[in-house]
Amino acid sequence: MSAPLINGKQVSEEIRGALRGEVELLTKQGLTPGLAVVLVGEDPASQVYVRNKEKACHDLGYYSEVHRLSASTTQEELLALVDKLNRQDNIHGILVQLPLPNHIDEKSVINAIAVEKDVDGFHPVNVGNLVIGDDSLLPCTPAGVIELIKRTGIEMAGKHAVVIGRSNIVGKPVSLLLQRENATVTMCHSRTANMKELTQQADILVVAIGRANFVDASYVKPGAVVIDVGMNRLENGKLAGDVDFESVKEVSGPITPVPGGVGPMTITMLMQNTLIAAKRLGGLA
Ligand code: NAP
């Protein structure tokens, strides 16, 4: 029997509906959440992501600024723009689209973003707060993963969650957020021995490795929740997850598809972070 689908598109629409309503109310009170997105260079995928963020702002009633800078922009010029945005009252969230050209040090740029406007959740202070369990702006894709698991109605506390992938932007923060939900977390990576033995014990399996269709049914415990973060472009142009959806859905519990699972949640969580940042900066939270 096929598993129930976790429809990220639908969840995303529901959250966006709530955000739209809240932004309308805030705007009436004189506070319109504002997001600045900075794009350096002409990376085609980044251009698409930035356009989608701009569109989300427009659809939800946010103020938005997109700064499209040439690939030859110097680090000093970029840092000067970040500094200006840090001090701009109508901007509550700043997102510098990654990757940056090689001549710019990404860490220096991320560190320069005001912690309270770091809506990507990548600033070391926000990362540190996440680690110690303090309030922080959460990284968007990991926050989306947790939201999707919550929407299944399946309790995370006491469950065994296995995360494959330990990147700073997905795997590590997902594992921290799962621990915050009182799951018992096992992390797997490219050097993990006997990975299948571990994943077969997972009540919740989150996969973020960047390898198309890598996880098949033999990795999955019957009935497990499976969240596929992978977004891999195949030679035929189609998008594939890290999970072999067709085989896994025959054994798993609720499962995310690709596309239409985690993907739509990332920008929605960015919009949520921007609203949170605006309320905090505006003294309303
Ligand atoms: P990444 O930085 O390349 O990290 C990949 C992780 O997977 C690493 O920790 C690596 O282990 C591990 N890994 C690689 N091959 C493995 C294997 N055969 N067995 C076990 N572990 C393995 O990738 P990422 O940025 O986390 O992204 C992962 C995927 O998520 C990509 O497909 C990406 O496009 C997608 N993604 C989607 C969204 C979204 O939906 N909005 C956002 C971000 C990323 P080591 O640490 O040992 O090298």
Side-chain angles (χ1 to χ4, degrees), residues 140-154:
C140 301
T141 301
V145 166
I146 299 300
E147 188 61 40
L148 288 180
I149 299 171
K150 280 187 181 160
R151 298 281 172 138
T152 65
I154 292 169

Side-chain angles (χ1 to χ4, degrees), residues 226-278:
V226 177
I227 307 289
D228 185 357
V229 186
M231 290 217 297
N232 309 288
R233 190 65 65 186
L234 301 177
E235 274 178 14
N236 63 10
K238 281 195 175 164
L239 203 60
D242 291 341
V243 173
D244 178 25
F245 181 79
E246 290 305 321
S247 79
V248 172
K249 76 177 189 339
E250 298 303 321
V251 296
S252 72
I255 179 171
T256 57
V258 175
V262 175
M265 294 296 288
T266 299
I267 294 186
T268 299
M269 293 294 115
L270 171 71
M271 303 313 291
Q272 183 161 290
N273 271 352
T274 304
L275 179 65
I276 291 168

Side-chain angles (χ1 to χ4, degrees), residues 75-208:
Q75 182 158 320
E76 288 65 35
E77 286 167 336
L78 181 54
L79 288 173
L81 173 60
V82 169
D83 182 51
K84 178 173 163 280
L85 295 169
N86 280 341
R87 287 184 282 111
Q88 215 170 296
D89 286 342
N90 60 345
I91 293 298
H92 309 99
I94 301 170
L95 184 144
V96 178
Q97 186 66 46
L98 302 178
L100 289 168
N102 288 336
H103 66 276
I104 297 178
D105 177 37
E106 266 178 22
K107 273 191 191 165
S108 306
V109 176
I110 291 170
N111 293 359
I113 296 172
V115 174
E116 60 277 15
K117 295 190 179 185
D118 167 42
V119 283
D120 245 346
F122 292 163
H123 191 288
V125 170
N126 278 321
V127 176
N129 282 335
L130 171 60
V131 173
I132 62 177
D134 272 1
D135 213 16
S136 63
L137 288 166
L138 300 176
C140 301
T141 301
V145 166
I146 299 300
E147 188 61 40
L148 288 180
I149 299 171
K150 280 187 181 160
R151 298 281 172 138
T152 65
I154 292 169
E155 180 67 52
M156 283 176 261
K159 296 285 162 52
H160 184 195
V162 174
V163 180
I164 317 182
R166 56 174 166 183
S167 71
N168 288 334
I169 61 164
V170 189
K172 266 185 219 161
V174 164
S175 77
L176 291 163
L177 290 171
L178 285 163
Q179 287 181 66
R180 194 182 268 196
E181 298 295 331
N182 295 313
T184 302
V185 183
T186 301
M187 295 285 290
C188 297
H189 46 77
S190 68
R191 307 290 293 274
T192 300
N194 306 327
M195 191 162 79
K196 244 183 216 186
E197 284 173 22
L198 298 167
T199 61
Q200 283 168 349
Q201 298 170 36
D203 303 306
I204 298 165
L205 179 62
V206 180
V207 191

Side-chain angles (χ1 to χ4, degrees), residues 215-229:
V215 168
D216 64 22
S218 67
Y219 284 79
V220 180
K221 176 175 166 178
V225 176
V226 177
I227 307 289
D228 185 357
V229 186

